[in-house]
Amino acid sequence: MNQTTAADNANKTMGDKASDDRLRSKSGFAKLIRRPELASLVGFVLIFILFFSVAPAFRSLDAMATVLYASSTLGIVALAVGLLMIGDEFDLSSGVAVTTAALAATMLNYNFHLNSWVGAGLALLLSLAIGALNGYLVTRTGIASFLITLAAFLMLQGLNLAITKLVTGQVATPTIADMEGFPSAQMVFAGRFEIFGVTIRSTVIWWILFVALASFMLFKTKFGNWIFAVGGDEEAARAVGVPVRRVKIILFMFVGFAAWFVGMHTLFAFDSIQAGQGVGNEFLYIIAAVIGGCALTGGRGTAVGTAIGALIFGMTNQGIVYAGWNPDWFKFFLGAMLLFAVLTNSSFAKFTKRG
C-alpha cells in the first residue's frame, strides 16, 4: 500500500515537473517571438545570405567594415529617433539638424577663429536647444510632433542655405582643417584605426557604445520605464506620476545630441559642409527604427532593434554596389523591408495582446 502511494506520488511529481518544463519552454518561445527586433533579425539574416551569395566582394572583411561604417552614421541618429518613437513622438527635422550642427560649428570656428572644440561645444548647445524647443512646443501646444518637426525641418533647411550664402557667399563652407584643435577633434569624431589589418571608423565604436548605453537605460532604469509608459499610454503614465512632459523633451534633446554627433563626424571627416545636405535622411532614420521593431504607435521597441535596422540599411546600400546592380534597387529593397517590418510588427502586436 505504502509502496503504491509512494510510486503514485513519484509519478505525480515527475508529471508536474514535465508540465512545468513544457510551460517554461512555451513561455520562453512566446517571449522570443514577441521580441520587437525579431522580424528585423530575420530580415538581416536573409539579406546577408543574399549578398554573401551573389557578391563575392561582399565577403571580405574590408567590405564588412564599410557596411559597419555606413550603418553607424545612420544608426546613431536612428537610435535616438527610435527612443523618441517608443515615447510615441516623431522628429522630421533630424536630417537637416545634422547639417545645422555642422554648419554652426564650422562657421563659428572660421569666422571667430575659435578652437575647433569650442565651435563644436557651441554647436552642441544649439542642437540641444533645437531639440528642447521641439519638445516644448509639442508638449505645450498639443499639436502633433509630425507637424511641429515638419515646420522645424523647413525652417532649418531654409536657415542652412540662407545663412551659409549670407556668410560665405556660396552654399559650401570653407575648410577649417588648419584651425586649432582640429586634429584631436577629428580623431574623436572621424578617427580610424586598424584591427587585424582592417580599417575601422570611430563612429562604429561610438555607435556600439551608444546602443549599449541606450539598452541599459531602457531596461534597467526608471527613465527607461517612463519612456515605455509614456509611449504606451500617456494619460495612464501621467496618472501614476510619470513626468510626461519632461520625458518627451529629454527624448527630443537626445535626437538633438545624436544629430550634433553625426554632424561633427561629417564636419571633421570632410573639413567642409554643403548647406543642402541631410534633406531626406530623416526618413531613413525613421525607416531604420521601424524596421528594427519600433512601433509607430509608441510603447514598443529596443535599441538593439534600431541597430539591426541600420545594419540592414548599410548591408543593402553597400551590397547592391558590390553586386554590381543598378542603385535604383536600393529604394525597392528598403521599401520592401519597411513593409515587411510594419506587417510583422502589427502581427506580433496582435499576438501579444491575445497572449
Side-chain angles (χ1 to χ4, degrees):
M1 182 75 173
N2 290 338
Q3 290 178 347
T4 302
T5 302
D8 289 342
N9 289 338
N11 289 334
K12 184 176 183 302
T13 300
M14 291 176 63
D16 291 343
K17 185 177 184 300
S19 178
D20 290 343
D21 289 341
R22 285 194 296 272
L23 287 173
R24 280 195 295 269
S25 177
K26 184 177 180 181
S27 176
F29 177 74
K31 289 180 180 179
L32 175 63
I33 64 174
R34 289 174 182 171
R35 294 290 300 179
E37 66 271 27
L38 178 61
S40 61
L41 183 60
V42 172
F44 168 81
V45 172
L46 292 176
I47 291 174
F48 180 83
I49 292 173
L50 170 65
F51 288 117
F52 193 86
S53 301
V54 303
F58 184 79
R59 304 167 194 167
S60 70
L61 291 178
D62 287 332
M64 293 297 104
T66 303
V67 168
L68 286 174
Y69 172 58
S71 302
S72 67
T73 54
L74 176 89
I76 290 172
V77 183
L79 172 63
V81 169
L83 294 177
L84 182 63
M85 289 176 63
I86 296 173
D88 197 23
E89 300 293 351
F90 292 91
D91 191 341
L92 294 181
S93 67
S94 54
V96 293
V98 171
T99 306
T100 300
L103 287 171
T106 186
M107 284 194 283
L108 286 169
N109 284 341
Y110 186 84
N111 290 285
F112 294 99
H113 306 289
L114 302 176
N115 184 290
S116 293
W117 284 103
V118 175
L122 294 173
L124 174 59
L125 295 178
L126 176 63
S127 296
L128 293 177
I130 292 171
L133 180 60
N134 282 338
Y136 178 82
L137 290 175
V138 168
T139 56
R140 283 294 183 182
T141 64
I143 298 173
S145 56
F146 176 88
L147 294 174
I148 294 290
T149 58
L150 177 59
F153 160 79
L154 294 171
M155 289 189 290
L156 290 178
Q157 184 183 9
L159 286 172
N160 288 349
L161 289 166
I163 294 179
T164 303
K165 288 181 180 178
L166 179 66
V167 174
T168 67
Q170 53 188 358
V171 294
T173 61
T175 179
I176 60 167
D178 57 346
M179 303 296 289
E180 184 180 355
F182 185 90
S184 59
Q186 185 180 52
M187 184 179 300
V188 171
F189 294 107
R192 59 183 72 198
F193 53 92
E194 288 194 0
I195 298 179
F196 302 117
V198 179
T199 300
I200 303 294
R201 303 294 288 264
S202 61
T203 51
V204 175
I205 305 302
W206 283 114
W207 177 41
I208 294 171
L209 176 62
F210 291 153
V211 169
L213 290 174
S215 296
F216 177 83
M217 180 194 69
L218 276 177
F219 297 105
K220 298 296 183 180
T221 69
K222 182 188 293 185
F223 188 76
N225 291 333
W226 287 352
I227 295 174
F228 283 112
V230 168
D233 190 331
E234 182 176 323
E235 293 305 318
R238 185 176 285 110
V240 296
V242 175
V244 174
R245 182 175 292 116
R246 189 197 318 163
V247 169
K248 290 195 174 188
I249 291 175
I250 290 174
L251 289 175
F252 275 103
M253 292 176 72
F254 280 169
V255 176
F257 170 80
W260 167 81
F261 193 93
V262 175
M264 293 307 98
H265 164 72
T266 306
L267 171 61
F268 291 109
F270 302 105
D271 304 343
S272 178
I273 298 295
Q274 293 285 333
Q277 289 179 224
V279 177
N281 286 351
E282 58 280 347
F283 294 110
L284 297 180
Y285 303 142
I286 293 173
I287 289 170
V290 173
I291 290 176
C294 293
L296 293 168
T297 53
R300 177 181 170 85
T302 64
V304 172
T306 66
I308 297 174
L311 275 171
I312 288 174
F313 167 87
M315 276 200 309
T316 305
N317 191 26
Q318 299 300 317
I320 287 174
V321 174
Y322 289 129
W325 296 351
N326 188 322
D328 292 336
W329 282 105
F330 170 68
K331 293 293 177 63
F332 171 82
F333 272 101
L334 206 58
M337 278 305 306
L338 177 60
L339 180 61
F340 173 74
V342 170
L343 292 175
T344 51
N345 288 344
S346 176
S347 300
F348 288 159
K350 291 177 181 177
F351 178 85
T352 301
K353 290 180 180 178
R354 288 199 303 268

